[in-house]
Amino acid sequence: MKNPLLQLHVSSKDFSNRRVINDISFNLNDGNIVSLVGPSGCGKSTLLRIISGLEKKYKGEVLINGKTPHLHSQDVGFIFQEPRLLPWLTVSENIGFDRGKKGGECSLVKELLVEVGLSDFANAYPKELSGGMAQRVAIARGLFTNPQLLLLDEPFSAVDAFTRMRLQDLLLSVAARHKTTILLVTHDAQEAAYLSDRVIILASRPGRIIGEVVIDDPRPKDRKDPSISQNQSQILKILNHQNNDYLNISDEIDFRNQKNLILSRYHFAI
């Protein structure tokens, strides 16, 4: 039997004298799309930094294809909350940055530009792009090295709702074409339910796993499918310690993305 692509066991991670992660373990298999959901301060982003090799000081073991992760590994791509494009480089040059000055001329850059719908902006600079366009460039850059594992840290939180949905669908389509395994950090239970095969739910102080929701729905998913709302409700229920009263969830959880669920539940008028 083939070993998982990612094997993670972080027994502890401390910042100063404060424990931020306590005994978190999970595996990812090839082709999985897994979301980490939990309140601020539960260690979601820290886990991504550990997996990418950016964070070294922790107790435990993390293996990607049986090897300890290291910085600049081409097996792992990282997409941040902000696009983090270099303002003095064109869109093409930003995407191909991993290969240096000539990276923007690589044929793969042109292919990725087609995939993310930015062929006409190859020579544009970041200041000429909208937020959603800049994040599409970041997705293309994350895929440029053809990583087996793509890490995303709340990549759509800074864009409007309609752009967010388009970017979610773009992520699913390019991940399927590139056969990329995805680990996504999000505060949005609906986003997790729509995108994921599994949702791992964390609590804070210290960060630890309190539950998991396995989602068997085939892709492509229909946003109107009631199973998405059902899975979203299950995620929220676990986050709120099995309590169905969603209005009592800690204010650390981002309610902006749960507005429709709460309004429909209590029949408030907008």
Side-chain angles (χ1 to χ4, degrees), residues 57-245:
K57 296 181 179 180
Y58 66 94
K59 292 181 180 179
E61 183 178 50
V62 177
L63 299 175
I64 299 173
N65 284 325
K67 299 178 182 178
T68 303
H70 60 86
L71 278 176
H72 311 304
S73 168
Q74 295 200 340
D75 288 336
V76 182
F78 206 137
I79 299 175
F80 297 91
Q81 193 169 7
E82 310 85 20
R84 300 192 182 185
L85 305 181
L86 299 175
W88 58 87
L89 298 181
T90 66
V91 165
S92 290
E93 291 166 341
N94 267 286
I95 293 172
F97 180 75
D98 187 73
R99 294 193 189 174
K101 293 182 179 180
K102 298 290 186 178
E105 301 174 11
C106 176
S107 60
L108 178 57
V109 170
K110 295 178 182 178
E111 294 173 16
L112 289 168
L113 283 168
V114 172
E115 285 194 71
V116 300
L118 291 174
S119 296
D120 294 337
F121 292 86
N123 297 316
Y125 287 89
K127 66 181 180 180
E128 302 172 62
L129 307 177
S130 68
M133 292 165 69
Q135 201 64 349
R136 280 190 270 164
V137 176
I139 291 172
R141 182 181 59 190
L143 292 168
F144 179 73
T145 61
N146 196 28
Q148 289 182 275
L149 175 61
L150 188 60
L151 309 174
L152 299 101
D153 193 358
E154 296 190 71
F156 312 134
S157 61
V159 298
D160 64 85
F162 295 110
T163 301
R164 186 182 190 118
M165 287 190 289
R166 288 195 293 268
L167 288 172
Q168 289 168 351
D169 290 335
L170 172 65
L171 177 66
L172 290 175
S173 65
V174 297
R177 281 196 293 271
H178 290 264
K179 299 181 180 179
T180 307
T181 303
I182 288 177
L183 182 61
L184 169 77
V185 162
T186 180
H187 278 98
D188 185 342
Q190 185 178 48
E191 179 171 81
Y194 179 66
L195 292 177
S196 309
D197 306 311
R198 293 163 54 207
V199 180
I200 297 171
I201 302 156
L202 307 178
S204 59
R205 303 189 187 97
R208 61 201 186 277
I209 295 175
I210 57 171
E212 181 174 321
V213 175
V214 177
I215 299 171
D216 296 323
D217 302 338
R219 294 194 184 91
K221 296 179 184 178
D222 184 343
R223 290 184 184 273
K224 299 187 293 294
D225 191 325
S227 67
I228 295 176
S229 295
Q230 292 165 7
N231 288 319
Q232 178 185 3
S233 296
Q234 182 63 21
I235 294 164
L236 289 170
K237 184 177 179 181
I238 295 171
L239 276 169
N240 201 30
H241 308 293
Q242 304 301 319
N243 188 337
N244 279 321
D245 184 1

